[in-house]
Amino acid sequence: VFFQTGIIPGDTDYRIYRDFGNLPGVDFAVTANDYVYHTMRDDLAHMDFRSVQRYGETATELVRGMTAALSQGRPEGPEAEE
């Protein structure tokens, strides 16, 4: 949502799947050291490993939330579109 609204300028690798594959998904972005993203300096030496930790925490919470929601049955109607 942030990229689509322009709050955060730029784009992510997920866009191609969203726009051309019509695939639902979750988009993650790292904003620290963005000047090295997809350049020759995009390597482990320039990675903030706290970001990797946050990815893991976010993915874990996402799975927990989805599991809790789906344990109540598959959504139907307008709820299925959210």
Side-chain angles (χ1 to χ4, degrees), residues 22-35:
N22 199 27
L23 297 172
V26 180
D27 204 357
F28 294 94
V30 176
T31 56
N33 291 344
D34 60 336
Y35 61 92

Side-chain angles (χ1 to χ4, degrees), residues 2-13:
F2 289 115
F3 293 101
Q4 293 169 333
T5 61
I7 293 172
I8 297 176
D11 212 343
T12 67
D13 296 332

